[in-house]
Amino acid sequence: MASPGRAQKLLKGLRQIKPRMGVPFLDLKVQFNSIKDEVAAAVDRVMSSQQFILGPEVEAFEESMAAFVGTRYGVGCASGSDALLLSLLALGIGPGDEVITTPFTFVATASAIARTGATPVFVDIQPETYNLDPALIPFAVNAHTRAIIAVHLFGAPADLSAILSMANVNNLAVIEDAAQAIGAQYYGSPVGGVGVCGCFSFFPSKNLGGAGDGGLITTDDPEIAERLRLLRVHGSERKYYYETLGTNSRLDALQAAILGVKLAHLDEWTRLRRRKAEHYRLLFAKFGLGEIVKLPTSPRGCFHVYNQFVIECPERDRLREFLREGGIPTEIYYPQPLHLQKAFEYLGHQAGQFPVAEEASQKVLALPIYPELSEVDQTAVVLAIQDFYNGIR
């Protein structure tokens, strides 16, 4: 055991750890540099073919994604937002229908419902995971309810068993919003392969990010897969002949080629993300912050992939400013739940209706996390948080 004097000296040394140029919230350049030659070869292959829209590159990536998720089909599209919209349309959801989801998510989840003409119906979240609370779903179901969109927020799987049980009793479809959760598992089953459709985003900041927008839907249903393929190309099976009204939502060949390269590295990147999350836990415990800061939870049977490492903390906004001044960027996901957003005021919700989501929006703070984040920078982050709380005690 170190002497008190030696322990104090060690702690003083740790406090000298400062981010040299600030801690990046996300550093995509360092990841790119590690696969630069592979990406260049993939881009060169597409450029040489001059086939940029759909085609063999997209088909190959769709097959790889389906295999990764464990489904029969993968259908690429232009974004994660479109993946949600196309899934709803493929299920025939539209005006007069209702779809249950969470108010504590990115706007695309609920806006996709609204864009079909259906009504988003919000259900509050679990305080531990920030995911949809299955126990509250029965109170939201009525004769107009057609589906549930379960969001795997921040990379943590939603309680799919309970959600599917509620859905089966009421003959509802379950769509998984896995935009933040590629690689996550629920009792050994990859997310995105449990519901009727799994929706993925390849926005650059995602765990599997492209060089722009991109999305994909996974499904085991051949009829839904065929309808998705039809909807993404204006509803046309033959050029200039239209079976239904669709949209233009195709995954570019360049994106598919780049994503195919990165998919081969995803398991290793996920392992490193989880290691960073565990190191944060060790640091928060080491510096006595366990009673002040609520850390992310990973329920039994769930494999969390930490698209974000989100803490819940008192004096959140003051802490965020303190960290910003010290060169440590953070983000707030999300500062206002959807039921209180102006875009959804037509639904008639009031403050207090979904108290868990509302409280979370006032306390959550996302810290830097990515596979290449150094332990030195992680230590600097946690020590700065400790300094803040020591200063206000």
Side-chain angles (χ1 to χ4, degrees), residues 240-273:
Y240 302 131
Y241 292 87
Y242 307 97
E243 308 298 320
T244 188
L245 293 178
T247 188
N248 177 15
S249 183
R250 301 170 295 199
L251 181 63
D252 293 337
L254 276 168
Q255 294 298 343
I258 293 168
L259 290 164
V261 168
K262 298 180 84 171
L263 182 59
H265 297 272
L266 182 59
D267 285 342
E268 174 62 10
W269 291 339
T270 298
R271 184 186 69 81
L272 291 172
R273 277 183 179 271

PDB file of all heavy atoms in Angstrom, residues 240-273:
ATOM      1  N   TYR A 240     -39.909   4.011 -65.820  1.00  0.00           N
ATOM      2  CA  TYR A 240     -41.016   4.874 -66.225  1.00  0.00           C
ATOM      3  C   TYR A 240     -42.385   4.223 -66.066  1.00  0.00           C
ATOM      4  O   TYR A 240     -43.389   4.761 -66.558  1.00  0.00           O
ATOM      5  CB  TYR A 240     -40.832   5.396 -67.660  1.00  0.00           C
ATOM      6  CG  TYR A 240     -39.543   6.167 -67.851  1.00  0.00           C
ATOM      7  CD1 TYR A 240     -38.703   5.892 -68.914  1.00  0.00           C
ATOM      8  CD2 TYR A 240     -39.158   7.148 -66.942  1.00  0.00           C
ATOM      9  CE1 TYR A 240     -37.503   6.586 -69.077  1.00  0.00           C
ATOM     10  CE2 TYR A 240     -37.972   7.846 -67.103  1.00  0.00           C
ATOM     11  CZ  TYR A 240     -37.147   7.561 -68.168  1.00  0.00           C
ATOM     12  OH  TYR A 240     -35.969   8.248 -68.322  1.00  0.00           O
ATOM     13  N   TYR A 241     -42.465   3.096 -65.362  1.00  0.00           N
ATOM     14  CA  TYR A 241     -43.746   2.472 -65.025  1.00  0.00           C
ATOM     15  C   TYR A 241     -43.769   2.310 -63.506  1.00  0.00           C
ATOM     16  O   TYR A 241     -42.830   1.758 -62.916  1.00  0.00           O
ATOM     17  CB  TYR A 241     -43.906   1.117 -65.712  1.00  0.00           C
ATOM     18  CG  TYR A 241     -44.046   1.237 -67.211  1.00  0.00           C
ATOM     19  CD1 TYR A 241     -42.911   1.275 -68.027  1.00  0.00           C
ATOM     20  CD2 TYR A 241     -45.300   1.329 -67.807  1.00  0.00           C
ATOM     21  CE1 TYR A 241     -43.030   1.408 -69.405  1.00  0.00           C
ATOM     22  CE2 TYR A 241     -45.434   1.454 -69.195  1.00  0.00           C
ATOM     23  CZ  TYR A 241     -44.294   1.499 -69.978  1.00  0.00           C
ATOM     24  OH  TYR A 241     -44.410   1.617 -71.340  1.00  0.00           O
ATOM     25  N   TYR A 242     -44.852   2.767 -62.862  1.00  0.00           N
ATOM     26  CA  TYR A 242     -44.872   2.903 -61.410  1.00  0.00           C
ATOM     27  C   TYR A 242     -45.997   2.084 -60.802  1.00  0.00           C
ATOM     28  O   TYR A 242     -47.176   2.280 -61.116  1.00  0.00           O
ATOM     29  CB  TYR A 242     -44.991   4.389 -61.028  1.00  0.00           C
ATOM     30  CG  TYR A 242     -43.907   5.202 -61.709  1.00  0.00           C
ATOM     31  CD1 TYR A 242     -44.164   5.886 -62.899  1.00  0.00           C
ATOM     32  CD2 TYR A 242     -42.617   5.214 -61.197  1.00  0.00           C
ATOM     33  CE1 TYR A 242     -43.159   6.582 -63.542  1.00  0.00           C
ATOM     34  CE2 TYR A 242     -41.600   5.905 -61.828  1.00  0.00           C
ATOM     35  CZ  TYR A 242     -41.871   6.585 -63.009  1.00  0.00           C
ATOM     36  OH  TYR A 242     -40.869   7.260 -63.650  1.00  0.00           O
ATOM     37  N   GLU A 243     -45.599   1.160 -59.927  1.00  0.00           N
ATOM     38  CA  GLU A 243     -46.567   0.282 -59.266  1.00  0.00           C
ATOM     39  C   GLU A 243     -47.230   0.976 -58.073  1.00  0.00           C
ATOM     40  O   GLU A 243     -48.363   0.676 -57.712  1.00  0.00           O
ATOM     41  CB  GLU A 243     -45.860  -0.985 -58.771  1.00  0.00           C
ATOM     42  CG  GLU A 243     -45.029  -1.698 -59.826  1.00  0.00           C
ATOM     43  CD  GLU A 243     -45.878  -2.186 -60.974  1.00  0.00           C
ATOM     44  OE1 GLU A 243     -46.990  -2.673 -60.727  1.00  0.00           O
ATOM     45  OE2 GLU A 243     -45.420  -2.048 -62.124  1.00  0.00           O
ATOM     46  N   THR A 244     -46.493   1.868 -57.445  1.00  0.00           N
ATOM     47  CA  THR A 244     -46.981   2.580 -56.266  1.00  0.00           C
ATOM     48  C   THR A 244     -46.210   3.886 -56.170  1.00  0.00           C
ATOM     49  O   THR A 244     -45.289   4.132 -56.951  1.00  0.00           O
ATOM     50  CB  THR A 244     -46.764   1.731 -54.993  1.00  0.00           C
ATOM     51  OG1 THR A 244     -47.400   2.357 -53.874  1.00  0.00           O
ATOM     52  CG2 THR A 244     -45.281   1.545 -54.695  1.00  0.00           C
ATOM     53  N   LEU A 245     -46.596   4.737 -55.228  1.00  0.00           N
ATOM     54  CA  LEU A 245     -45.869   5.987 -55.026  1.00  0.00           C
ATOM     55  C   LEU A 245     -44.761   5.759 -54.015  1.00  0.00           C
ATOM     56  O   LEU A 245     -45.014   5.467 -52.845  1.00  0.00           O
ATOM     57  CB  LEU A 245     -46.812   7.086 -54.544  1.00  0.00           C
ATOM     58  CG  LEU A 245     -47.861   7.550 -55.561  1.00  0.00           C
ATOM     59  CD1 LEU A 245     -48.758   8.607 -54.931  1.00  0.00           C
ATOM     60  CD2 LEU A 245     -47.197   8.105 -56.818  1.00  0.00           C
ATOM     61  N   GLY A 246     -43.528   5.877 -54.484  1.00  0.00           N
ATOM     62  CA  GLY A 246     -42.376   5.722 -53.596  1.00  0.00           C
ATOM     63  C   GLY A 246     -41.601   7.010 -53.487  1.00  0.00           C
ATOM     64  O   GLY A 246     -42.162   8.104 -53.535  1.00  0.00           O
ATOM     65  N   THR A 247     -40.298   6.880 -53.354  1.00  0.00           N
ATOM     66  CA  THR A 247     -39.438   8.056 -53.227  1.00  0.00           C
ATOM     67  C   THR A 247     -38.068   7.717 -53.800  1.00  0.00           C
ATOM     68  O   THR A 247     -37.840   6.590 -54.240  1.00  0.00           O
ATOM     69  CB  THR A 247     -39.319   8.489 -51.748  1.00  0.00           C
ATOM     70  OG1 THR A 247     -38.630   9.733 -51.660  1.00  0.00           O
ATOM     71  CG2 THR A 247     -38.591   7.440 -50.923  1.00  0.00           C
ATOM     72  N   ASN A 248     -37.181   8.671 -53.799  1.00  0.00           N
ATOM     73  CA  ASN A 248     -35.809   8.439 -54.233  1.00  0.00           C
ATOM     74  C   ASN A 248     -34.942   8.283 -52.993  1.00  0.00           C
ATOM     75  O   ASN A 248     -34.589   9.268 -52.351  1.00  0.00           O
ATOM     76  CB  ASN A 248     -35.319   9.608 -55.095  1.00  0.00           C
ATOM     77  CG  ASN A 248     -33.868   9.446 -55.511  1.00  0.00           C
ATOM     78  OD1 ASN A 248     -33.301   8.367 -55.401  1.00  0.00           O
ATOM     79  ND2 ASN A 248     -33.265  10.521 -55.992  1.00  0.00           N
ATOM     80  N   SER A 249     -34.641   7.049 -52.626  1.00  0.00           N
ATOM     81  CA  SER A 249     -33.864   6.801 -51.413  1.00  0.00           C
ATOM     82  C   SER A 249     -32.950   5.607 -51.649  1.00  0.00           C
ATOM     83  O   SER A 249     -33.204   4.499 -51.187  1.00  0.00           O
ATOM     84  CB  SER A 249     -34.788   6.545 -50.223  1.00  0.00           C
ATOM     85  OG  SER A 249     -34.030   6.385 -49.048  1.00  0.00           O
ATOM     86  N   ARG A 250     -31.866   5.862 -52.383  1.00  0.00           N
ATOM     87  CA  ARG A 250     -30.952   4.782 -52.744  1.00  0.00           C
ATOM     88  C   ARG A 250     -29.614   4.971 -52.042  1.00  0.00           C
ATOM     89  O   ARG A 250     -29.155   6.097 -51.857  1.00  0.00           O
ATOM     90  CB  ARG A 250     -30.759   4.767 -54.264  1.00  0.00           C
ATOM     91  CG  ARG A 250     -32.073   4.577 -55.014  1.00  0.00           C
ATOM     92  CD  ARG A 250     -31.942   4.796 -56.504  1.00  0.00           C
ATOM     93  NE  ARG A 250     -31.593   6.182 -56.828  1.00  0.00           N
ATOM     94  CZ  ARG A 250     -31.776   6.734 -58.031  1.00  0.00           C
ATOM     95  NH1 ARG A 250     -32.299   6.003 -59.006  1.00  0.00           N
ATOM     96  NH2 ARG A 250     -31.422   7.980 -58.259  1.00  0.00           N
ATOM     97  N   LEU A 251     -28.995   3.867 -51.673  1.00  0.00           N
ATOM     98  CA  LEU A 251     -27.662   3.910 -51.106  1.00  0.00           C
ATOM     99  C   LEU A 251     -26.653   3.999 -52.242  1.00  0.00           C
ATOM    100  O   LEU A 251     -26.664   3.172 -53.158  1.00  0.00           O
ATOM    101  CB  LEU A 251     -27.400   2.660 -50.262  1.00  0.00           C
ATOM    102  CG  LEU A 251     -26.037   2.558 -49.575  1.00  0.00           C
ATOM    103  CD1 LEU A 251     -25.846   3.684 -48.559  1.00  0.00           C
ATOM    104  CD2 LEU A 251     -25.894   1.199 -48.892  1.00  0.00           C
ATOM    105  N   ASP A 252     -25.796   5.006 -52.201  1.00  0.00           N
ATOM    106  CA  ASP A 252     -24.797   5.176 -53.253  1.00  0.00           C
ATOM    107  C   ASP A 252     -23.766   4.052 -53.219  1.00  0.00           C
ATOM    108  O   ASP A 252     -23.389   3.560 -52.145  1.00  0.00           O
ATOM    109  CB  ASP A 252     -24.069   6.510 -53.091  1.00  0.00           C
ATOM    110  CG  ASP A 252     -24.980   7.699 -53.337  1.00  0.00           C
ATOM    111  OD1 ASP A 252     -25.994   7.526 -54.028  1.00  0.00           O
ATOM    112  OD2 ASP A 252     -24.664   8.797 -52.826  1.00  0.00           O
ATOM    113  N   ALA A 253     -23.270   3.695 -54.395  1.00  0.00           N
ATOM    114  CA  ALA A 253     -22.255   2.647 -54.491  1.00  0.00           C
ATOM    115  C   ALA A 253     -20.974   3.027 -53.754  1.00  0.00           C
ATOM    116  O   ALA A 253     -20.323   2.177 -53.133  1.00  0.00           O
ATOM    117  CB  ALA A 253     -21.966   2.345 -55.959  1.00  0.00           C
ATOM    118  N   LEU A 254     -20.594   4.306 -53.812  1.00  0.00           N
ATOM    119  CA  LEU A 254     -19.401   4.750 -53.088  1.00  0.00           C
ATOM    120  C   LEU A 254     -19.548   4.526 -51.588  1.00  0.00           C
ATOM    121  O   LEU A 254     -18.625   4.050 -50.924  1.00  0.00           O
ATOM    122  CB  LEU A 254     -19.125   6.230 -53.374  1.00  0.00           C
ATOM    123  CG  LEU A 254     -18.338   6.550 -54.638  1.00  0.00           C
ATOM    124  CD1 LEU A 254     -18.396   8.050 -54.927  1.00  0.00           C
ATOM    125  CD2 LEU A 254     -16.875   6.101 -54.493  1.00  0.00           C
ATOM    126  N   GLN A 255     -20.720   4.867 -51.058  1.00  0.00           N
ATOM    127  CA  GLN A 255     -20.953   4.651 -49.628  1.00  0.00           C
ATOM    128  C   GLN A 255     -20.924   3.166 -49.297  1.00  0.00           C
ATOM    129  O   GLN A 255     -20.346   2.747 -48.293  1.00  0.00           O
ATOM    130  CB  GLN A 255     -22.291   5.267 -49.206  1.00  0.00           C
ATOM    131  CG  GLN A 255     -22.362   6.767 -49.304  1.00  0.00           C
ATOM    132  CD  GLN A 255     -21.372   7.469 -48.407  1.00  0.00           C
ATOM    133  OE1 GLN A 255     -20.832   6.881 -47.478  1.00  0.00           O
ATOM    134  NE2 GLN A 255     -21.110   8.728 -48.679  1.00  0.00           N
ATOM    135  N   ALA A 256     -21.550   2.359 -50.135  1.00  0.00           N
ATOM    136  CA  ALA A 256     -21.589   0.920 -49.876  1.00  0.00           C
ATOM    137  C   ALA A 256     -20.190   0.323 -49.873  1.00  0.00           C
ATOM    138  O   ALA A 256     -19.855  -0.526 -49.032  1.00  0.00           O
ATOM    139  CB  ALA A 256     -22.466   0.233 -50.922  1.00  0.00           C
ATOM    140  N   ALA A 257     -19.353   0.756 -50.805  1.00  0.00           N
ATOM    141  CA  ALA A 257     -17.987   0.239 -50.879  1.00  0.00           C
ATOM    142  C   ALA A 257     -17.182   0.616 -49.648  1.00  0.00           C
ATOM    143  O   ALA A 257     -16.453  -0.212 -49.077  1.00  0.00           O
ATOM    144  CB  ALA A 257     -17.310   0.759 -52.145  1.00  0.00           C
ATOM    145  N   ILE A 258     -17.312   1.871 -49.204  1.00  0.00           N
ATOM    146  CA  ILE A 258     -16.599   2.328 -48.013  1.00  0.00           C
ATOM    147  C   ILE A 258     -17.115   1.597 -46.768  1.00  0.00           C
ATOM    148  O   ILE A 258     -16.331   1.130 -45.923  1.00  0.00           O
ATOM    149  CB  ILE A 258     -16.746   3.853 -47.851  1.00  0.00           C
ATOM    150  CG1 ILE A 258     -16.009   4.573 -48.984  1.00  0.00           C
ATOM    151  CG2 ILE A 258     -16.230   4.313 -46.489  1.00  0.00           C
ATOM    152  CD1 ILE A 258     -16.336   6.054 -49.091  1.00  0.00           C
ATOM    153  N   LEU A 259     -18.421   1.461 -46.670  1.00  0.00           N
ATOM    154  CA  LEU A 259     -19.007   0.788 -45.518  1.00  0.00           C
ATOM    155  C   LEU A 259     -18.634  -0.685 -45.479  1.00  0.00           C
ATOM    156  O   LEU A 259     -18.464  -1.270 -44.405  1.00  0.00           O
ATOM    157  CB  LEU A 259     -20.527   0.956 -45.535  1.00  0.00           C
ATOM    158  CG  LEU A 259     -21.029   2.375 -45.239  1.00  0.00           C
ATOM    159  CD1 LEU A 259     -22.486   2.532 -45.659  1.00  0.00           C
ATOM    160  CD2 LEU A 259     -20.860   2.707 -43.757  1.00  0.00           C
ATOM    161  N   GLY A 260     -18.500  -1.292 -46.648  1.00  0.00           N
ATOM    162  CA  GLY A 260     -18.079  -2.685 -46.693  1.00  0.00           C
ATOM    163  C   GLY A 260     -16.683  -2.870 -46.117  1.00  0.00           C
ATOM    164  O   GLY A 260     -16.407  -3.847 -45.405  1.00  0.00           O
ATOM    165  N   VAL A 261     -15.795  -1.930 -46.400  1.00  0.00           N
ATOM    166  CA  VAL A 261     -14.450  -1.958 -45.812  1.00  0.00           C
ATOM    167  C   VAL A 261     -14.545  -1.837 -44.293  1.00  0.00           C
ATOM    168  O   VAL A 261     -13.925  -2.604 -43.535  1.00  0.00           O
ATOM    169  CB  VAL A 261     -13.578  -0.817 -46.380  1.00  0.00           C
ATOM    170  CG1 VAL A 261     -12.295  -0.657 -45.566  1.00  0.00           C
ATOM    171  CG2 VAL A 261     -13.258  -1.069 -47.847  1.00  0.00           C
ATOM    172  N   LYS A 262     -15.322  -0.885 -43.826  1.00  0.00           N
ATOM    173  CA  LYS A 262     -15.384  -0.597 -42.391  1.00  0.00           C
ATOM    174  C   LYS A 262     -16.107  -1.696 -41.616  1.00  0.00           C
ATOM    175  O   LYS A 262     -15.784  -1.948 -40.442  1.00  0.00           O
ATOM    176  CB  LYS A 262     -16.055   0.770 -42.166  1.00  0.00           C
ATOM    177  CG  LYS A 262     -15.268   1.923 -42.796  1.00  0.00           C
ATOM    178  CD  LYS A 262     -15.920   3.266 -42.565  1.00  0.00           C
ATOM    179  CE  LYS A 262     -15.545   3.833 -41.229  1.00  0.00           C
ATOM    180  NZ  LYS A 262     -15.994   5.235 -41.062  1.00  0.00           N
ATOM    181  N   LEU A 263     -17.072  -2.353 -42.258  1.00  0.00           N
ATOM    182  CA  LEU A 263     -17.805  -3.413 -41.574  1.00  0.00           C
ATOM    183  C   LEU A 263     -16.864  -4.526 -41.117  1.00  0.00           C
ATOM    184  O   LEU A 263     -17.064  -5.127 -40.057  1.00  0.00           O
ATOM    185  CB  LEU A 263     -18.893  -3.978 -42.491  1.00  0.00           C
ATOM    186  CG  LEU A 263     -19.789  -5.074 -41.907  1.00  0.00           C
ATOM    187  CD1 LEU A 263     -20.529  -4.580 -40.668  1.00  0.00           C
ATOM    188  CD2 LEU A 263     -20.784  -5.572 -42.960  1.00  0.00           C
ATOM    189  N   ALA A 264     -15.833  -4.790 -41.898  1.00  0.00           N
ATOM    190  CA  ALA A 264     -14.867  -5.831 -41.532  1.00  0.00           C
ATOM    191  C   ALA A 264     -14.102  -5.487 -40.255  1.00  0.00           C
ATOM    192  O   ALA A 264     -13.544  -6.382 -39.600  1.00  0.00           O
ATOM    193  CB  ALA A 264     -13.887  -6.057 -42.686  1.00  0.00           C
ATOM    194  N   HIS A 265     -14.058  -4.212 -39.882  1.00  0.00           N
ATOM    195  CA  HIS A 265     -13.333  -3.765 -38.680  1.00  0.00           C
ATOM    196  C   HIS A 265     -14.269  -3.512 -37.502  1.00  0.00           C
ATOM    197  O   HIS A 265     -13.789  -3.197 -36.398  1.00  0.00           O
ATOM    198  CB  HIS A 265     -12.572  -2.476 -38.977  1.00  0.00           C
ATOM    199  CG  HIS A 265     -11.503  -2.625 -40.017  1.00  0.00           C
ATOM    200  ND1 HIS A 265     -10.207  -3.010 -39.711  1.00  0.00           N
ATOM    201  CD2 HIS A 265     -11.537  -2.450 -41.368  1.00  0.00           C
ATOM    202  CE1 HIS A 265      -9.488  -3.060 -40.822  1.00  0.00           C
ATOM    203  NE2 HIS A 265     -10.265  -2.718 -41.838  1.00  0.00           N
ATOM    204  N   LEU A 266     -15.567  -3.628 -37.720  1.00  0.00           N
ATOM    205  CA  LEU A 266     -16.525  -3.169 -36.711  1.00  0.00           C
ATOM    206  C   LEU A 266     -16.414  -3.940 -35.401  1.00  0.00           C
ATOM    207  O   LEU A 266     -16.499  -3.337 -34.320  1.00  0.00           O
ATOM    208  CB  LEU A 266     -17.958  -3.256 -37.257  1.00  0.00           C
ATOM    209  CG  LEU A 266     -19.055  -2.762 -36.318  1.00  0.00           C
ATOM    210  CD1 LEU A 266     -18.840  -1.302 -35.941  1.00  0.00           C
ATOM    211  CD2 LEU A 266     -20.434  -2.941 -36.953  1.00  0.00           C
ATOM    212  N   ASP A 267     -16.245  -5.243 -35.445  1.00  0.00           N
ATOM    213  CA  ASP A 267     -16.163  -6.013 -34.197  1.00  0.00           C
ATOM    214  C   ASP A 267     -15.005  -5.531 -33.324  1.00  0.00           C
ATOM    215  O   ASP A 267     -15.141  -5.413 -32.101  1.00  0.00           O
ATOM    216  CB  ASP A 267     -16.008  -7.503 -34.502  1.00  0.00           C
ATOM    217  CG  ASP A 267     -17.307  -8.153 -34.963  1.00  0.00           C
ATOM    218  OD1 ASP A 267     -18.379  -7.560 -34.735  1.00  0.00           O
ATOM    219  OD2 ASP A 267     -17.240  -9.246 -35.552  1.00  0.00           O
ATOM    220  N   GLU A 268     -13.873  -5.237 -33.938  1.00  0.00           N
ATOM    221  CA  GLU A 268     -12.727  -4.753 -33.168  1.00  0.00           C
ATOM    222  C   GLU A 268     -13.001  -3.354 -32.621  1.00  0.00           C
ATOM    223  O   GLU A 268     -12.666  -3.062 -31.455  1.00  0.00           O
ATOM    224  CB  GLU A 268     -11.475  -4.743 -34.036  1.00  0.00           C
ATOM    225  CG  GLU A 268     -10.248  -4.126 -33.394  1.00  0.00           C
ATOM    226  CD  GLU A 268      -9.757  -4.850 -32.138  1.00  0.00           C
ATOM    227  OE1 GLU A 268     -10.257  -5.960 -31.844  1.00  0.00           O
ATOM    228  OE2 GLU A 268      -8.880  -4.302 -31.450  1.00  0.00           O
ATOM    229  N   TRP A 269     -13.598  -2.497 -33.421  1.00  0.00           N
ATOM    230  CA  TRP A 269     -13.928  -1.157 -32.928  1.00  0.00           C
ATOM    231  C   TRP A 269     -14.925  -1.219 -31.780  1.00  0.00           C
ATOM    232  O   TRP A 269     -14.843  -0.447 -30.820  1.00  0.00           O
ATOM    233  CB  TRP A 269     -14.474  -0.301 -34.068  1.00  0.00           C
ATOM    234  CG  TRP A 269     -13.453   0.044 -35.109  1.00  0.00           C
ATOM    235  CD1 TRP A 269     -12.090   0.047 -34.966  1.00  0.00           C
ATOM    236  CD2 TRP A 269     -13.710   0.421 -36.463  1.00  0.00           C
ATOM    237  NE1 TRP A 269     -11.476   0.405 -36.139  1.00  0.00           N
ATOM    238  CE2 TRP A 269     -12.440   0.643 -37.077  1.00  0.00           C
ATOM    239  CE3 TRP A 269     -14.870   0.601 -37.219  1.00  0.00           C
ATOM    240  CZ2 TRP A 269     -12.324   1.040 -38.416  1.00  0.00           C
ATOM    241  CZ3 TRP A 269     -14.751   0.992 -38.543  1.00  0.00           C
ATOM    242  CH2 TRP A 269     -13.493   1.202 -39.139  1.00  0.00           C
ATOM    243  N   THR A 270     -15.869  -2.156 -31.873  1.00  0.00           N
ATOM    244  CA  THR A 270     -16.848  -2.331 -30.792  1.00  0.00           C
ATOM    245  C   THR A 270     -16.152  -2.797 -29.521  1.00  0.00           C
ATOM    246  O   THR A 270     -16.446  -2.308 -28.417  1.00  0.00           O
ATOM    247  CB  THR A 270     -17.928  -3.335 -31.211  1.00  0.00           C
ATOM    248  OG1 THR A 270     -18.633  -2.825 -32.345  1.00  0.00           O
ATOM    249  CG2 THR A 270     -18.903  -3.593 -30.075  1.00  0.00           C
ATOM    250  N   ARG A 271     -15.228  -3.723 -29.646  1.00  0.00           N
ATOM    251  CA  ARG A 271     -14.473  -4.200 -28.484  1.00  0.00           C
ATOM    252  C   ARG A 271     -13.745  -3.037 -27.802  1.00  0.00           C
ATOM    253  O   ARG A 271     -13.744  -2.922 -26.564  1.00  0.00           O
ATOM    254  CB  ARG A 271     -13.480  -5.276 -28.919  1.00  0.00           C
ATOM    255  CG  ARG A 271     -12.707  -5.914 -27.766  1.00  0.00           C
ATOM    256  CD  ARG A 271     -11.639  -6.864 -28.276  1.00  0.00           C
ATOM    257  NE  ARG A 271     -10.550  -6.164 -28.941  1.00  0.00           N
ATOM    258  CZ  ARG A 271      -9.548  -5.569 -28.298  1.00  0.00           C
ATOM    259  NH1 ARG A 271      -9.503  -5.568 -26.968  1.00  0.00           N
ATOM    260  NH2 ARG A 271      -8.585  -4.959 -28.975  1.00  0.00           N
ATOM    261  N   LEU A 272     -13.151  -2.166 -28.605  1.00  0.00           N
ATOM    262  CA  LEU A 272     -12.426  -1.028 -28.044  1.00  0.00           C
ATOM    263  C   LEU A 272     -13.370  -0.015 -27.393  1.00  0.00           C
ATOM    264  O   LEU A 272     -13.052   0.556 -26.340  1.00  0.00           O
ATOM    265  CB  LEU A 272     -11.592  -0.360 -29.133  1.00  0.00           C
ATOM    266  CG  LEU A 272     -10.403  -1.188 -29.642  1.00  0.00           C
ATOM    267  CD1 LEU A 272      -9.764  -0.517 -30.859  1.00  0.00           C
ATOM    268  CD2 LEU A 272      -9.369  -1.401 -28.544  1.00  0.00           C
ATOM    269  N   ARG A 273     -14.524   0.209 -28.004  1.00  0.00           N
ATOM    270  CA  ARG A 273     -15.508   1.115 -27.384  1.00  0.00           C
ATOM    271  C   ARG A 273     -15.916   0.594 -26.008  1.00  0.00           C
ATOM    272  O   ARG A 273     -16.024   1.361 -25.042  1.00  0.00           O
ATOM    273  CB  ARG A 273     -16.755   1.238 -28.263  1.00  0.00           C
ATOM    274  CG  ARG A 273     -16.644   2.242 -29.389  1.00  0.00           C
ATOM    275  CD  ARG A 273     -17.951   2.335 -30.154  1.00  0.00           C
ATOM    276  NE  ARG A 273     -17.842   3.311 -31.224  1.00  0.00           N
ATOM    277  CZ  ARG A 273     -18.109   4.598 -31.100  1.00  0.00           C
ATOM    278  NH1 ARG A 273     -18.522   5.071 -29.942  1.00  0.00           N
ATOM    279  NH2 ARG A 273     -17.973   5.409 -32.123  1.00  0.00           N
TER     280      ARG A 273
END
